[in-house]
Amino acid sequence: MLSFEAAQPVLVVVIGVLALALCGWQLAIARGRRLAWIRRTLLVLLAVAMAFRPALPGGEVPTASIQARVFVMIDTSQSVAAEDWGTDPRLNGMQADVIEIARSFAGADISVISFDSQATLRVPLTDDGSAVIEMVRALKPEIAQQSRGTSVAVAHDLLLAELERTEAADPSSPAVVFYLGDGEQTADGEPQSFADVADHVDRGLVLGYGTEQGGRMRVSSFDPAQQEQYLQDPSGGDAISRIDEDRLRSIADQLGITYLHRTPALPIEDALGPMAALDGEADLNSTEEARLEVAWILGIPIALLLAAEAFSLARSLRTTRGLMARGGAR
């Protein structure tokens, strides 16, 4: 008997064929409404294509048998645009390191939480390393106009909830936490302590990005013209963001894990390899193709076609009500 996962493509094809047959029949007989049925035919085709999750080659991830719950917390506040990762933005270094984490812990369940003015669960625990890589590559700094200041501990509650929830479901799987940030506290008040999270963490790293000299930040904005400008401080000069290593070391101490300052010249693989080996084996010489999913792109024309359907339906209802009102008046 076929499993549900194996039967899914068959069901999609069967339903798709039936829906296309209905559309074809209506195109043949409903001559006055051909445009509507052409639109519905396109909807069916796009929905079927989306169900098969089309993807492009997205590099390679190693095969592995690592058993662990890996939680990656990545800073996406405006300060990660500071250009002191060599001459590149800090976010470039963070993205490269998360990709290496996904490679080193291939086979493990990985979750990604981003934090700026608020914390967001970007990827729930998944063993699909390519999904993690795809999402992290797409991360951008928080839009400057939307920023309300960032607390370095804004993701505390979300991390703790995810750790507790997944620990209850899989108590034998160790929890590995990676915190990637620059330590800048721009929200009012002292940040919440991570000390109560430590009991749920087996190992991990706090990774610090930036320099004492700091770097300028290009504006993260919806306006492409503003994206070429640098963020200004109150005096009118370029705003400079600097790493706060004391705060990052404090976070590491609270979590009971190690702090590591990151630079482009320091390969992170040397730190990740021994840590991942505690929970299984990763064969970096044996790889499988990572998928860069593009199904979401099909959602754009689907949304437009659905909007057209809604508009057409609303217009038909107005016409029907108008006819009924005139009939009642007689």
Side-chain angles (χ1 to χ4, degrees):
M1 181 179 291
L2 284 177
S3 67
F4 178 72
E5 289 78 8
Q8 276 183 316
V10 177
L11 288 172
V12 169
V13 170
V14 170
I15 294 171
V17 168
L18 290 174
L20 286 173
L22 173 62
C23 291
W25 176 54
Q26 288 296 323
L27 279 170
I29 65 173
R31 299 190 178 185
R33 302 178 60 196
R34 280 186 172 174
L35 182 59
W37 284 103
I38 289 173
R39 186 170 63 237
R40 289 160 193 164
T41 302
L42 287 174
L43 263 173
V44 172
L45 291 171
L46 288 169
V48 169
M50 192 173 189
F52 280 98
R53 298 176 61 190
L56 298 174
E60 294 182 333
V61 293
T63 58
S65 57
I66 294 175
Q67 299 298 315
R69 292 171 293 128
V70 180
F71 297 86
V72 178
M73 306 166 66
I74 181 168
D75 188 350
T76 51
S77 62
Q78 178 68 58
S79 65
V80 301
E83 296 174 348
D84 57 359
W85 179 259
T87 57
D88 294 325
R90 293 170 189 167
L91 183 58
N92 288 22
M94 295 178 179
Q95 290 169 320
D97 284 352
V98 175
I99 290 171
E100 285 305 322
I101 290 170
R103 285 175 52 82
S104 296
F105 284 85
D109 290 325
I110 305 177
S111 175
V112 180
I113 297 172
S114 68
F115 64 94
D116 36 59
S117 297
Q118 59 186 3
T120 303
L121 182 62
R122 297 284 183 175
V123 181
L125 274 181
T126 177
D127 61 1
D128 184 356
S130 62
V132 172
I133 291 171
E134 175 190 350
M135 189 285 305
V136 169
R137 281 175 174 162
L139 281 177
K140 301 293 182 185
E142 181 183 28
I143 299 298
Q145 296 94 323
Q146 296 180 341
S147 178
R148 302 183 302 277
T150 300
S151 169
V152 295
V154 68
H156 169 281
D157 293 348
L158 180 55
L159 174 64
L160 181 57
E162 286 298 297
L163 283 166
E164 290 177 337
R165 181 185 64 80
T166 57
E167 184 178 23
D170 188 8
S172 63
S173 183
V176 185
V177 171
F178 293 95
Y179 180 106
L180 291 73
D182 54 30
E184 277 203 333
Q185 172 77 14
T186 56
D188 295 334
E190 278 298 304
Q192 190 173 4
S193 172
F194 282 97
D196 58 337
V197 180
D199 289 341
H200 303 278
V201 178
D202 292 281
R203 63 188 70 91
L205 291 171
V206 171
L207 304 174
Y209 301 80
T211 62
E212 292 182 1
Q213 297 77 22
R216 301 185 300 168
M217 298 163 280
R218 290 190 187 273
V219 175
S220 182
S221 172
F222 294 116
D223 183 354
Q226 290 187 354
Q227 293 175 10
E228 298 302 315
Q229 302 173 9
Y230 284 93
L231 198 66
Q232 301 295 293
D233 61 24
S235 66
D238 290 333
I240 301 296
S241 172
R242 297 177 175 83
I243 190 172
D244 188 339
E245 290 197 271
D246 288 340
R247 197 175 292 279
L248 291 170
R249 289 192 182 95
S250 177
I251 292 171
D253 290 341
Q254 292 164 14
L255 287 169
I257 57 180
T258 302
Y259 169 69
L260 178 65
H261 181 227
R262 297 290 297 119
T263 66
L266 180 64
I268 196 173
E269 298 93 316
D270 295 342
L272 296 177
M275 186 181 300
L278 294 173
D279 303 308
E281 296 181 358
D283 183 0
L284 298 183
N285 294 315
S286 175
T287 62
E288 59 185 13
E289 188 177 68
R291 287 164 46 88
L292 186 62
E293 293 196 13
V294 295
W296 63 270
I297 297 176
L298 299 178
I300 298 172
I302 287 175
L304 293 174
L305 289 169
L306 287 174
E309 280 292 311
F311 177 77
S312 177
L313 178 61
R315 188 172 59 182
S316 296
L317 288 173
R318 278 200 308 271
T319 302
T320 302
R321 287 173 181 169
L323 292 172
M324 291 176 64
R326 286 196 293 272
R330 292 173 187 170

